[in-house]
Amino acid sequence: MGVMVDHLAAIMLIVVTTISLLVQVYTHGYMREDTGYSRFYSYLSLFTGSMLGLVVSTNLFESYFFWELVGVCSYFLIGFWWHKNTAAEACMKAFVVNRIGDFGFLVGVLWFLSATYGFWNGHPVLMFSDQAGYDLVGAIKWAASNGSLTAASLTAISVWMLMGPMAKSAQLPLHVWLADAMEGPTPISALIHAATMVAAGVYLIARAYPIWLTPQGTTDSAGLAIVAWVGCITAFAAATIALTQFDIKRVLAWSTVSQLGYMFCGLGVGAYTGGIFHLFNHAFFKAMLFLCSGAVIHGLHHCFSHDRDLKKRLNEVSLMDRLIPPDQDLRNMGGLKEYMPITSFCFLIGCLSISGFPGMSGFFSKDDIISSAFRYAGPGHELLAWGLVITAGLTAFYMFRAYFLTFEGKYRGKEKPHKETLSVMNLPLLALVIPSIASGYLGMNPGMWSQIFGGTPTPLPNVFTQFLHWGPHPEFEAADPTVMLISTAFGLGGIALAYMVYLNNLGLNTWCQNSLKLLYQFSWKKWYFDEAYIWFSQKFALPLFRTAWNLIDMTIVDNMVNLSSFVAVGSGEMLRYSENGRGQWYALVIFGSVSALGLLYFLLRPLG
Amino acid sequence: MQSIQDYLGAISSLTPVICLSTAILFTALWNLFFPRLKEITPIAGIFALLFAGTALWQQFAVGSITLFGGLYTVDPLTVLFGVLACGVGAIVILMTMGCESELGRNAGEFYTLLLVAVLAVMVLAGTTDLILLFIALETLSISCVVLAGFSKQDRRSNEAALKYLISTAATTATLLYGLSFLYGLTGSTSYYEIHNKIATFAHAPSLVVIFTMVLLLSAVGFKLSAVPFHMWTPDVYEGAPTPVTAFLSIGSKAGGFVVAIRLLSVVFASSVSDWSFILGLLAIASMIGGNLIALAQTSFKRMLAYSSIAHVGYILIGLISNSLDGLSAVSFYLIVYGLMNLGAFTGAILFCNETGSDRIDDYAGLFKKRPWLATGLAICLINLAGLPLPPAGFFAKAFVFWSGIQASGANPLAWTLIIVALLTSVPAIYYYMRVAIKMIVKEPSDAVKKLEPERKRMVDPQICPDVALAACVAGIVIASVMVNPIMKLAKDSVTPVTSPAVGMLDQNLN
């Protein structure tokens, strides 16, 4: 155990403490009327503490410990409204999926430990970094030189270990829990399931980066290629799913999955700084977007709270046939700009940022990742990069779809919402506007603009890269106007399309629903992952477990336990009756024992 | 005894013993003359014990002094076991103060006899002569017999006293028989001289030496209630008043252990392999017998009685390994075991005072009515089971087992002992935890349901047993935190009796 604050940890500390503080403030407004107000705050503090512990961990085992702690906090908080059936099922789902991931993670860690065991030699094991060189880098070098670790086995270890981050950061195919995690209260969605905990997977990969590199420490490894591909596929898949969702929180959740995919892909293509930079920027604007959605839900809540039947049904329905609560349904919103100007403004800033609108924070980090992907030399890099670019376009589309459906146009509900007044819930939103725009400029050099418009491309230093980089020296890059232009064009295109469809009544969406029914259903049903998992577990996994259970537990273990207890209790009873309570007998036993002991000693004595 | 100065010096070294003797006389006579102020008696007893303990403690740093021509030795071992006896005595008096009504008009005599028993243990700890050994042992036995039969109206108590008397008589016979052989062989009653004599023919132990050893071990085994000399234990433990049982389970056992340490490690130091084999058999039998019979008990006190047999088996492992580590593990175990066992008995007294029941099933749901009592009792039981919560009981077991493993080179039985100890620890966890879990998790039993709501604290006859339980739990927690200092203390206390120092004692004598 220990505490380590280096530049990577410092960045995470900024993210976690800032957002945690703002969410705590926000919660006071959001949860004020909830009966679990104080319980909520205690979970919130437990989570923040665990997350900070994870950030400052010095070695993999300590990380694992806090990793599990944040996981259990997430479980508590998703199931915070446990009386809602969907919430109870969702927290169980999150827990089970994370168990699967953490199992792989543990296997990876233990395998790595056993391969490098001789190296640590009394030093604390699995340290991330150490002045004397007793850290992951040194261990891999040592193990590679004496043959206990080959490139192939390191790749295998990294794949096992990747399962942990994949589950925690909701990457395909372990992504299924994150959207359902939105059953928890909205502040939690902002803090845990958008900004901090789900980014822990990305953080862990960055923290234990050497494991994903080649044994020689270069970035052209199979481990990283897998990370990149997982990230890219997730980014694309989640973006396509987000296109058709109607629950405002689910749209944001799927966009989180998609953006986490970007970060994975960034780390995977060797853009260490870029991946973390996106994590940093994303945390602020995504937390803000979630808090905005919370404000909307809070504002609309009273408009739909009269329908007791519906409320009852919402509480009882199971996760698979979940109904969208009316106060979260985009179809019931519209025109809220008029009633909630502050929220609408903040949401717009968030949408611009996540869409990579030039000058907003998301633009800089996303561009960094995409241009790194174009430069990447690994397998299928063209496809990877174009996947990200297309995803950027989709992102812009679905985010502005959500924005237009919520805040623009005409209000589609029956009862009008109240006019928004500046409250304790708005302050964090406004505070988050600043980093949502400004944090991107940490990764920018003013000379960039002149380069784009006709200067010579030379590498330019910037603050963020100088602060955080992999390897001894920061690698600065020249701005690449082509890539920037392409991704910006896709982003603007997405926004324009959303405007056409949702404000100008272009009949594209009805056309899609009718003519591309299959594709539409595919997106609406979230690529049928849940159905596939349920089919698999009911057809194969559960019957298998049941057989194993019958075989091992019922017949072997139970009988062994019964037998041993029978022997123990039986012999106890027998011995009990050797005591017949007669004094003479006692004296006789004493004398008898003395002679017996003497005799026994002569028969058995050790030295003959 | 060369001069009057030496004599006076010896007397001053005996301050604790003299202090206790004074207290014995005081408690015996006070109620006779001032029957209205009889509440003072136990308090005076406690103060005398505390004073004697403190006075003893002063002697810890003094080193080894032999008094009266080798009759009595004051060394750290004497001090440690003397202080242990005083502590046990004080806690037993505290728990007795809650059930004085049971003792009737004779409460004063009860404390007198208890102090006599403590005094006997204290003297046993320092005795290095066969004569004094016999006298102290008999004093202890007789006072315990009378204590066991103290509830005169209770048939079971009378029965207990009689059985204890018969068994004691039997082992007194074997002990005396053994002592007479020993004297006949060596022509001396002093431990040190016998040690030297026996060392001369240790290489070829004759029939007589071995038979002597078996006879002596039978007496020690009886005091320790090791199987097969345990037959009296359950009857006496169940019949005797509970405070007496508590004292028997740890006070008189501590006496037995210190005698065993001195006799075996000093007198028979040269024939280790012989006695360690015999003791090994006793230990195995005790661990198996004690744990298995305890498993089938329905009465809480009887369960504690049988489990104390099992604990003796564990402690014997440390004694058998006969090393500095082993003997200090024995001391450590006895300190911790004393605390947790007294705590468990105090819990039984508190429960019995209120419900009149001793059945394990009646303890169910106690936590709901008496959370503090249930928590304290549960901590004692968890430690008795050897689970690390807090880890005092766990450490005690671990130290003993570890010393046994270290000694495995010298002793052919060592691995058998360890394996039996580990295996029998499993039922021990079961029967202790069964009570703890019943108290905390289960629904209240009928007896518990009838309990009044929590009592008002200050005006309460139960306050003294409460203090005793709190003291035991606090002691367990302190022992868990301060494992190292206590272990160092235990090491210091047994250093003089481990082999190299014996020669030094010899020189002292001359």
Side-chain angles (χ1 to χ4, degrees):
Chain A
M1 298 293 272
V3 167
M4 175 175 73
V5 180
D6 59 357
H7 289 186
L8 178 60
I11 285 168
M12 279 303 275
L13 286 177
I14 293 172
V15 170
V16 174
T17 49
T18 313
I19 295 178
S20 190
L21 173 70
L22 294 173
V23 166
Q24 298 239 4
V25 173
Y26 180 90
T27 299
H28 176 63
Y30 192 82
M31 301 290 285
R32 196 172 352 193
E33 278 140 36
D34 198 286
T35 47
Y37 179 81
S38 50
R39 181 163 61 101
F40 191 79
Y41 266 106
S42 63
Y43 286 155
L44 210 54
S45 304
L46 180 64
F47 169 75
T48 309
S50 318
M51 188 67 206
L52 291 176
L54 175 61
V55 170
V56 298
S57 293
T58 55
N59 62 58
L60 268 173
F61 277 126
E62 193 181 347
S63 285
Y64 187 75
F65 177 80
F66 286 110
W67 181 269
E68 294 295 317
L69 263 179
V70 292
V72 85
C73 292
S74 158
Y75 170 79
F76 287 153
L77 284 161
I78 296 170
F80 186 77
W81 288 319
W82 42 267
H83 45 82
K84 251 170 62 184
N85 194 20
T86 44
E89 285 181 10
C91 70
M92 192 65 85
K93 188 173 178 182
F95 198 74
V96 169
V97 173
N98 273 292
R99 278 283 60 63
I100 296 171
D102 293 347
F103 166 74
F105 183 37
L106 192 63
V107 169
V109 170
L110 292 179
W111 187 354
F112 184 75
L113 182 65
S114 71
T116 61
Y117 194 72
F119 171 76
W120 306 103
N121 197 13
H123 296 266
V125 293
L126 300 177
M127 294 286 276
F128 293 126
S129 76
D130 180 58
Q131 297 291 330
Y134 283 97
D135 52 13
L136 295 180
V137 180
I140 291 172
K141 239 178 230 157
W142 176 87
S145 70
N146 76 0
S148 57
L149 204 63
T150 60
S153 64
L154 188 62
T155 306
I157 289 172
S158 74
V159 170
W160 276 112
M161 272 183 67
L162 186 62
M163 282 178 73
M166 272 164 70
K168 195 120 291 186
S169 294
Q171 299 296 295
L172 241 60
L174 298 178
H175 66 292
V176 288
W177 65 275
L178 186 61
D180 290 323
M182 299 302 129
E183 296 298 320
T186 311
I188 286 318
S189 310
L191 176 64
I192 300 187
H193 303 120
T196 55
M197 187 194 80
V198 288
V202 181
Y203 176 73
L204 192 93
I205 296 179
R207 190 87 272 189
Y209 209 46
I211 290 176
W212 276 271
L213 302 177
T214 58
Q216 290 74 38
T218 55
T219 53
D220 53 340
S221 65
L224 275 187
I226 293 168
V227 174
W229 273 105
V230 165
C232 181
I233 293 170
T234 307
F236 178 74
T240 58
I241 294 170
L243 292 175
T244 56
Q245 303 302 315
F246 280 114
D247 184 329
I248 183 167
K249 283 179 75 180
R250 301 275 167 136
V251 174
L252 293 177
W254 285 110
S255 90
T256 305
V257 176
S258 171
Q259 298 300 311
L260 288 166
Y262 268 102
M263 297 170 208
F264 265 62
C265 195
L267 289 178
V269 297
Y272 181 81
T273 313
I276 299 298
F277 192 32
H278 197 52
L279 188 165
F280 184 68
N281 295 337
H282 172 260
F284 295 116
F285 61 67
K286 184 51 68 65
M288 183 175 73
L289 285 168
F290 263 112
L291 295 184
C292 287
S293 78
V296 170
I297 295 166
H298 198 68
L300 290 183
H301 186 65
H302 70 271
C303 309
F304 301 97
S305 57
H306 315 301
D307 195 343
R308 297 210 167 261
D309 265 4
L310 180 67
K311 212 170 178 181
K312 197 157 164 263
R313 261 195 306 152
L314 279 174
N315 280 344
E316 283 169 359
V317 74
S318 89
L319 202 54
M320 281 305 283
D321 352 289
R322 172 179 174 275
L323 306 165
I324 302 174
D327 50 359
Q328 300 184 16
D329 195 331
L330 289 176
R331 287 166 294 194
N332 293 339
M333 299 175 186
L336 291 179
K337 195 164 80 172
E338 202 181 316
Y339 305 98
M340 305 180 165
I342 301 170
T343 310
S344 132
F345 167 73
C346 295
F347 201 89
L348 179 63
I349 296 290
C351 285
L352 287 173
S353 198
I354 199 173
S355 310
F357 193 81
M360 311 298 275
S361 71
F363 169 74
F364 297 100
S365 48
K366 200 180 269 191
D367 181 68
D368 198 348
I369 291 173
I370 293 176
S371 55
S372 299
F374 272 111
R375 276 198 307 279
Y376 178 57
H381 64 283
E382 291 276 311
L383 203 58
L384 210 62
W386 281 105
L388 292 183
V389 170
I390 293 167
T391 306
L394 295 175
T395 307
F397 176 79
Y398 68 73
M399 285 311 295
F400 273 88
R401 166 179 175 267
Y403 173 74
F404 291 140
L405 283 178
T406 312
F407 294 103
E408 302 286 345
K410 275 217 176 70
Y411 182 63
R412 290 181 289 275
K414 281 179 204 138
E415 200 175 324
K416 300 267 181 208
H418 297 307
K419 189 114 172 89
E420 178 178 49
T421 51
L422 193 67
S423 71
V424 68
M425 278 166 63
N426 295 126
L427 295 176
L429 296 182
L430 291 170
L432 280 168
V433 168
I434 300 162
S436 298
I437 301 170
S439 67
Y441 290 89
L442 291 173
M444 190 207 90
N445 187 304
M448 187 182 91
W449 303 112
S450 62
Q451 274 191 17
I452 293 171
F453 301 109
T456 45
T458 46
L460 293 168
N462 65 58
V463 180
F464 198 89
T465 314
Q466 242 158 5
F467 186 72
L468 180 76
H469 47 80
W470 178 250
H473 304 293
E475 288 175 27
F476 299 115
E477 288 146 13
D480 186 343
T482 332
V483 175
M484 253 180 225
L485 217 61
I486 295 171
S487 60
T488 309
F490 267 85
L492 290 177
I495 297 174
L497 194 63
Y499 179 79
M500 302 287 279
V501 172
Y502 293 102
L503 288 187
N504 267 7
N505 293 326
L506 186 70
L508 188 65
N509 51 348
T510 39
W511 178 77
C512 280
Q513 279 176 37
N514 297 331
S515 310
L516 299 177
K517 203 163 183 175
L518 269 179
L519 275 180
Y520 183 84
Q521 278 293 320
F522 196 57
S523 161
W524 171 243
K525 288 283 184 186
K526 301 166 255 176
W527 289 33
Y528 293 99
F529 265 103
D530 285 332
E531 284 78 2
Y533 284 165
I534 285 179
W535 177 79
F536 174 77
S537 53
Q538 288 189 341
K539 279 273 187 273
F540 297 102
L542 285 179
L544 193 71
F545 281 133
R546 210 165 288 135
T547 320
W549 167 268
N550 284 340
L551 196 70
I552 297 168
D553 197 88
M554 303 288 275
T555 54
I556 300 176
V557 177
D558 275 12
N559 282 340
M560 261 170 62
V561 171
N562 289 343
L563 184 72
S564 64
S565 71
F566 176 75
V567 167
V569 174
S571 53
E573 290 288 338
M574 262 167 59
L575 285 171
R576 195 156 82 133
Y577 285 106
S578 72
E579 308 253 337
N580 58 10
R582 273 161 46 204
Q584 305 91 306
W585 168 249
Y586 289 7
L588 190 66
V589 168
I590 288 172
F591 293 131
S593 307
V594 171
S595 359
L597 265 183
L599 193 66
L600 205 61
Y601 178 71
F602 272 103
L603 295 177
L604 298 176
R605 59 190 276 214
L607 300 174
Chain B
M1 219 36 45
Q2 271 82 25
S3 66
I4 190 77
Q5 269 80 19
D6 282 355
Y7 191 75
L8 289 177
I11 293 292
S12 77
S13 299
L14 284 181
T15 317
V17 176
I18 294 168
C19 163
L20 264 194
S21 311
T22 320
I24 289 168
L25 294 176
F26 175 84
T27 47
L29 297 178
W30 180 262
N31 282 8
L32 202 60
F33 294 113
F34 305 99
R36 291 188 177 182
L37 294 173
K38 63 176 186 207
E39 286 81 9
I40 288 182
T41 326
I43 296 167
I46 290 175
F47 274 105
L49 285 169
L50 291 183
F51 182 78
T54 323
L56 262 175
W57 192 247
Q58 307 290 327
Q59 297 175 339
F60 194 84
V62 172
S64 300
I65 315 169
T66 35
L67 310 172
F68 309 119
L71 209 58
Y72 190 77
T73 304
V74 179
D75 61 10
L77 190 67
T78 317
V79 173
L80 187 80
F81 277 84
V83 171
L84 189 63
C86 291
V88 171
I91 291 177
V92 170
I93 290 184
L94 273 179
M95 58 171 105
T96 315
M97 285 161 81
C99 48
E100 259 182 345
S101 55
E102 258 180 58
L103 307 177
R105 289 189 299 120
N106 307 317
E109 282 88 333
F110 183 87
Y111 297 115
T112 311
L113 286 164
L114 189 63
L115 289 177
V116 170
V118 172
L119 179 74
V121 175
M122 205 188 263
V123 175
L124 268 184
T127 174
T128 46
D129 191 280
L130 298 182
I131 304 287
L132 192 56
L133 165 73
F134 183 72
I135 293 174
L137 214 54
E138 283 309 287
T139 314
L140 179 59
S141 297
I142 292 168
S143 54
C144 284
V145 167
V146 182
L147 281 172
F150 209 85
S151 306
K152 277 185 284 190
Q153 312 301 326
D154 186 352
R155 254 190 77 242
R156 286 188 310 164
S157 180
N158 290 328
E159 187 190 326
L162 191 64
K163 279 180 177 162
Y164 195 36
L165 184 67
I166 293 174
S167 309
T168 305
T171 46
T172 304
T174 57
L175 174 69
L176 266 182
Y177 198 23
L179 291 185
S180 64
F181 269 121
L182 207 53
Y183 183 69
L185 279 172
T186 60
S188 170
T189 58
S190 162
Y191 280 16
Y192 305 117
E193 282 181 36
I194 299 175
H195 162 78
N196 291 341
K197 293 264 169 58
I198 287 194
T200 56
F201 46 77
H203 295 296
S206 68
L207 184 73
V208 186
V209 174
I210 287 161
F211 193 56
T212 310
M213 210 157 16
V214 172
L215 287 170
L216 291 181
L217 283 178
S218 74
V220 171
F222 171 77
K223 271 277 162 277
L224 300 180
S225 66
V227 176
F229 306 106
H230 70 290
M231 307 288 281
W232 59 279
T233 320
D235 288 329
V236 174
Y237 278 23
E238 203 189 9
T242 316
V244 177
T245 310
F247 181 79
L248 284 177
S249 76
I250 175 66
S252 94
K253 266 186 196 156
F257 269 108
V258 71
V259 168
I261 290 176
R262 283 205 195 273
L263 264 184
L264 298 175
S265 304
V266 178
V267 177
F268 290 106
S270 46
S271 36
V272 181
S273 60
D274 298 315
W275 61 256
S276 65
F277 183 73
I278 301 175
L279 269 190
L281 297 179
L282 294 186
I284 292 173
S286 302
M287 287 187 283
I288 295 177
N291 277 318
L292 286 186
I293 309 181
L295 204 57
Q297 298 305 318
T298 51
S299 142
F300 189 63
K301 268 167 74 180
R302 266 183 102 89
M303 185 200 87
L304 286 179
Y306 278 111
S307 74
S308 81
I309 296 174
H311 281 284
V312 165
Y314 298 139
I315 303 176
L316 280 177
I317 297 177
L319 193 60
I320 291 163
S321 56
N322 192 40
S323 59
L324 183 61
D325 283 336
L327 294 183
S328 51
V330 170
S331 307
F332 184 81
Y333 202 117
L334 276 172
I335 294 171
V336 174
Y337 176 66
L339 288 168
M340 50 205 190
N341 206 30
L342 287 176
F345 273 114
T346 316
I349 288 180
L350 283 167
F351 185 75
C352 186
N353 284 351
E354 290 202 74
T355 61
S357 164
D358 182 41
R359 284 180 56 238
I360 289 175
D361 290 337
D362 284 344
Y363 281 77
L366 186 61
F367 187 78
K368 296 207 169 64
K369 283 289 178 85
R370 298 279 183 276
W372 292 108
L373 170 60
T375 311
L377 189 51
I379 289 177
C380 293
L381 288 172
I382 290 168
N383 267 280
L384 280 169
L387 298 179
L389 193 86
F394 171 75
F395 280 133
K397 256 188 186 165
F399 287 145
V400 167
F401 291 177
W402 180 239
S403 76
I405 291 172
Q406 280 177 319
S408 59
N411 185 355
L413 275 181
W415 279 110
T416 323
L417 279 171
I418 299 295
I419 291 167
V420 170
L422 289 177
L423 284 181
T424 53
S425 296
V426 178
I429 290 174
Y430 167 73
Y431 61 71
Y432 283 125
M433 292 312 288
R434 181 178 53 160
V435 183
I437 289 170
K438 260 197 179 127
M439 284 193 306
I440 292 172
V441 179
K442 289 279 168 62
E443 283 303 306
S445 64
D446 291 340
V448 171
K449 269 184 200 149
K450 277 183 211 140
L451 285 179
E452 311 259 313
E454 193 77 50
R455 312 170 300 249
K456 289 194 185 67
R457 278 289 151 187
M458 290 318 287
V459 281
D460 181 3
Q462 302 277 22
I463 187 86
C464 292
D466 279 342
V467 170
L469 181 58
C472 290
V473 172
I476 292 172
V477 173
I478 290 171
S480 309
V481 179
M482 298 179 41
V483 173
N484 274 335
I486 295 178
M487 201 55 196
K488 189 176 173 302
L489 208 70
K491 273 212 169 84
D492 288 346
S493 75
V494 295
T495 314
V497 291
T498 42
S499 311
V502 174
M504 204 179 71
L505 287 175
D506 263 345
Q507 286 164 5
N508 268 3
L509 197 61
N510 299 328

